[in-house]
Amino acid sequence: MKRVTSISLGSSQRNKSVEAYFLGEKFQIERVGTDGDLKLFHQKLVELDGQVDAFGLGGTDMHIYAAGKRYTFRQIEKLASAAVKTPVVDGSGLKNTLERETVQYLQREGIVDFAHSKVLLVSAVDRFGMAEALDATGASVVYGDMMFGLGVPIALRSLGAVNKAAKVLLPLVVQMPFSWLYPTGEKQNTITPKWTNFYDEANVIAGDFPYIRRYMPETLAGKIVLTNTTTAEDVEALTKRGVKTLITTTPEFEGRSFGTNVMEGVLVTLSGRKPEDLSPKDYMDLMAKLNWKPRIQTLNT
């Protein structure tokens, strides 16, 4: 049996392990949260190195992208270097392919009319494929990178503005401790409403779910949420807030949609190749064989 393990800086309360078949191969896929403990994160990578077929990095990014340029978080890169035998992925490959294709599929099939929607994308540099695909639809998008990532009350309203800000800020941002920029550990279990007017204005709330969840208001009536990594408890919370439709980009297993890092680990394992040797076309071909489609749930009518 193949084994893909996501080591996450997020809360251990969101841990999950399931068995599933992909192209006839049996897999154990699991998510192991380390509650923001960097030493434990490193220890888990060392313990399991060579014991699993692929590592996913969860609750963090190793790379973020803007205007076609990659920026690497030095802290996370150093931690990931603890794995010397098992390949490590952070989900960037699927963010560039699966999430881009998801937006195109939803628009093409008439499931979501992005062209006439107001979208809040909580972070474009994290979800760069989704950001570029949304921009191409003509959607009116608020990019929340400055607000959700840096706590600065500036709404970026074009991808060009995101790219200009990224060029100046990202070389500095990737030197910061990741926990300054993203909810890790126990912070993933708390909800503190903020930026409420931007949630209210949007028809579609999109992007990283821990960001969406951390600041979401008491009501999201009639909204579409486009994300992944949702647990059964998350679905209940969104239903309670009146969300109309939940769309997850990754497949569901026992009520859980895993992160792109986990599913990218599955694809890398199936390919039998190194992550750096896989092109976007390789990922797209594998996903076509698996017939992955977005999961669409109507939560409220």
Side-chain angles (χ1 to χ4, degrees), residues 100-175:
R100 187 187 301 274
E101 169 58 20
T102 295
V103 172
Q104 294 169 348
Y105 171 84
L106 295 171
Q107 180 74 37
R108 187 170 63 240
E109 296 298 320
I111 298 168
V112 181
D113 182 8
F114 291 108
H116 296 92
S117 294
K118 293 182 178 179
V119 181
L120 170 62
L121 177 59
V122 291
S123 174
V125 297
D126 168 52
R127 252 57 190 194
F128 58 102
M130 185 178 286
E132 291 176 1
L134 286 169
D135 180 66
T137 67
S140 174
V141 184
V142 169
Y143 302 92
D145 297 69
M146 300 290 285
M147 299 183 289
F148 288 79
L150 300 177
V152 177
I154 297 176
L156 302 173
R157 294 184 181 274
S158 73
L159 201 52
V162 172
N163 291 336
K164 287 180 181 176
K167 187 176 181 180
V168 174
L169 295 174
L170 287 188
L172 301 174
V173 166
V174 294
Q175 308 302 324

Side-chain angles (χ1 to χ4, degrees), residues 14-22 26-30 230-233 235 250-258 295 297:
R14 299 174 69 84
N15 284 359
K16 183 78 172 178
S17 176
V18 302
E19 292 182 359
Y21 284 88
F22 301 99
K26 189 176 184 180
F27 277 72
Q28 179 185 7
I29 55 177
E30 60 190 340
T230 52
T231 66
E233 291 75 18
V235 175
T250 51
E252 176 192 356
F253 302 95
E254 300 178 9
R256 174 67 175 271
S257 66
F258 284 89
R295 179 180 62 149
Q297 290 179 277

Side-chain angles (χ1 to χ4, degrees), residues 283-295:
Y283 283 116
M284 292 299 292
D285 288 347
L286 281 166
M287 287 187 285
K289 289 180 181 178
L290 290 161
N291 194 32
W292 282 358
K293 294 285 190 302
R295 179 180 62 149

Side-chain angles (χ1 to χ4, degrees), residues 112-114 116-122 134 139-144 147-148 155-157 194-207 212 216-217 219-226 241-245:
V112 181
D113 182 8
F114 291 108
H116 296 92
S117 294
K118 293 182 178 179
V119 181
L120 170 62
L121 177 59
V122 291
L134 286 169
S140 174
V141 184
V142 169
Y143 302 92
M147 299 183 289
F148 288 79
L156 302 173
R157 294 184 181 274
K194 195 175 181 181
W195 317 120
T196 302
N197 56 319
F198 295 102
Y199 282 92
D200 291 345
E201 291 173 5
N203 310 111
V204 180
I205 315 295
I212 293 173
M216 64 184 180
T219 179
L220 291 169
K223 311 290 185 187
I224 296 170
V225 174
L226 173 60
R241 283 169 167 76
V243 168
K244 180 181 178 183
T245 307

